[in-house]
Amino acid sequence: MEAIAAHERLLGDMVAAAAAQRAVLQALYQAAGLDEGKGEGSIAPLAPAGGGSGSVEIQADLEARLFGPFEAECRGRTLAPWSSRRAASLLKFLLLHYGRPVRREVLMEAFWPGSSPKSARNNLNVTVYQLRQKLRAHHPDRTHIVYRNGSYHIDPEFCCRIDVNDYNQSVARGHQAIDRGDRVAAIKSFHEARKLYAGPLLEGDTSGDWYMETQRRFHIEHCAVLERFCVLLLEHGDVGEAVSVGSELLGTDPCRETAHQLLMRAYAALDQPHLIVQQFRRCEITLRRELSVELSETTVQLYRTLINGR
């Protein structure tokens, strides 16, 4: 009974930690001038990634994948190869800011820092022309990139679907399901988000550091999502999937001590004491090597409880 009580206390601590992480993410959104659940890749509403009651499926003119290596299709045809890498980068930038105009000066500074205003403006004009020509080759008779009042944005009539937006929607639905006590719906939504996150935002992109802060923000959020997902799976009794999610989380953030704790709990549920010991030692070695810190008392106490409580 003591072991069960200890497990329940730990679970409560982890749920509280997840709530605290969500509060941090909300603060990050507010600091960046964003609404919760609407990251910089927010786009016009389309059907949710997993469907849903009352949703209307809309055929997108352009589909883009920004998690992992960049991919884009216009009317089912791949937008590759790119004769102008800068035009491709401009499209990525505008997709990440879909629905919000981007000042010309912001683009000039992002892609031509240190250049004179005249030179940067000329380069931007050429790049916008190249991007328009690229899109017109697949989708003629439309402007695609609109310039108004000193700002650029994608034509709202040019319907886009972006994996970042679907990811944001899935995460938001997961948090909402938890808030109303619907664990099954939350698991489904976080499962969708996990599939959509194919890797770091614009992985391998070499067009500059303009996207790095957004990439970091998504990394932080996704780690929090995976951790909360793992807790839900353990609560639901899906231990095998919890091990998979916990392992993926540690692959993304090896020093996340709470992820090591979750895997130790999962191995206890599977009655695999040797794996509990291995995970405990792996956590200890990783924290010492990477952060030069010792294990927390919470992890040590959990380990003792799991081993002695058998």
Side-chain angles (χ1 to χ4, degrees):
M1 292 300 294
E2 291 182 1
I4 294 175
H7 289 185
E8 291 177 346
R9 287 194 298 271
L10 176 63
L11 182 58
D13 292 341
M14 288 181 170
V15 171
Q21 288 169 337
R22 187 180 177 192
V24 171
L25 290 171
Q26 289 174 328
L28 288 172
Y29 287 141
Q30 293 170 357
L34 303 172
D35 294 330
E36 181 190 5
K38 294 184 179 180
E40 293 186 2
S42 295
I43 65 173
L46 295 174
S53 59
S55 64
V56 178
E57 189 68 39
I58 301 175
Q59 181 63 45
D61 297 310
L62 183 143
E63 295 192 9
R65 286 164 287 281
L66 303 180
F67 286 128
F70 174 69
E71 296 179 13
E73 294 181 357
C74 186
R75 295 289 182 87
R77 297 168 60 191
T78 302
L79 287 177
W82 288 85
S83 58
S84 169
R85 293 177 58 191
R86 190 64 76 195
S89 297
L90 177 60
L91 177 61
K92 299 169 191 175
F93 196 108
L94 294 177
L95 287 170
L96 278 172
H97 295 78
Y98 192 92
R100 290 175 293 143
V102 180
R103 293 291 301 174
R104 176 175 60 188
E105 292 75 16
V106 172
L107 295 171
M108 290 162 54
E109 179 61 27
F111 295 117
W112 298 279
S115 298
S116 68
K118 181 179 179 180
S119 175
R121 190 179 304 113
N122 288 338
N123 286 331
L124 177 58
N125 290 339
V126 170
T127 302
V128 170
Y129 173 80
Q130 291 172 332
L131 177 55
R132 283 172 173 163
Q133 291 300 103
K134 180 71 171 180
L135 294 173
R136 281 173 179 160
H138 296 267
H139 189 239
D141 304 322
R142 191 179 292 277
T143 301
H144 301 102
I145 309 301
V146 176
Y147 178 75
R148 184 179 295 115
N149 299 326
S151 299
Y152 287 94
H153 64 275
I154 295 176
D155 185 347
E157 294 186 6
F158 184 55
C159 188
C160 298
R161 181 163 193 167
I162 310 170
D163 58 349
V164 165
N165 182 67
D166 286 345
Y167 174 86
N168 286 332
Q169 292 176 350
S170 293
V171 170
R173 287 197 300 271
H175 289 314
Q176 291 164 3
I178 290 176
D179 291 343
R180 65 175 183 267
D182 191 343
R183 184 186 301 166
V184 174
I187 288 174
K188 179 181 178 182
S189 294
F190 287 150
H191 176 71
E192 293 170 358
R194 182 190 179 196
K195 289 196 300 182
L196 286 164
Y197 193 90
L201 185 77
L202 297 177
E203 185 176 16
D205 190 277
T206 58
S207 62
D209 59 0
W210 56 269
Y211 63 92
M212 297 303 294
E213 179 59 29
T214 307
Q215 183 188 77
R216 186 190 70 84
R217 178 173 62 79
F218 273 114
H219 169 79
I220 293 172
E221 176 176 1
H222 190 59
C223 285
V225 167
L226 288 179
E227 182 165 319
R228 203 165 197 189
F229 187 23
C230 191
V231 170
L232 287 169
L233 290 167
L234 283 175
E235 290 179 336
H236 197 248
D238 195 346
V239 182
E241 186 68 6
V243 170
S244 176
V245 173
S247 299
E248 182 177 326
L249 174 55
L250 281 181
T252 303
D253 185 359
C255 295
R256 198 177 188 92
E257 193 169 0
T258 49
H260 289 278
Q261 295 170 5
L262 285 168
L263 280 176
M264 288 164 58
R265 288 188 58 229
Y267 293 140
L270 293 172
D271 195 24
Q272 298 287 340
H274 65 289
L275 294 181
I276 300 173
V277 175
Q278 288 181 10
Q279 197 64 50
F280 178 79
R281 298 305 179 197
R282 186 176 296 118
C283 180
E284 184 177 37
I285 292 170
T286 301
L287 294 184
R288 284 177 178 172
R289 182 183 65 240
E290 302 296 333
L291 303 178
S292 299
V293 299
E294 299 298 323
L295 294 173
S296 69
E297 182 58 33
T298 300
T299 299
V300 174
Q301 184 57 46
L302 172 65
Y303 173 73
R304 291 170 178 167
T305 300
L306 294 176
I307 294 299
N308 296 333
R310 297 183 66 252

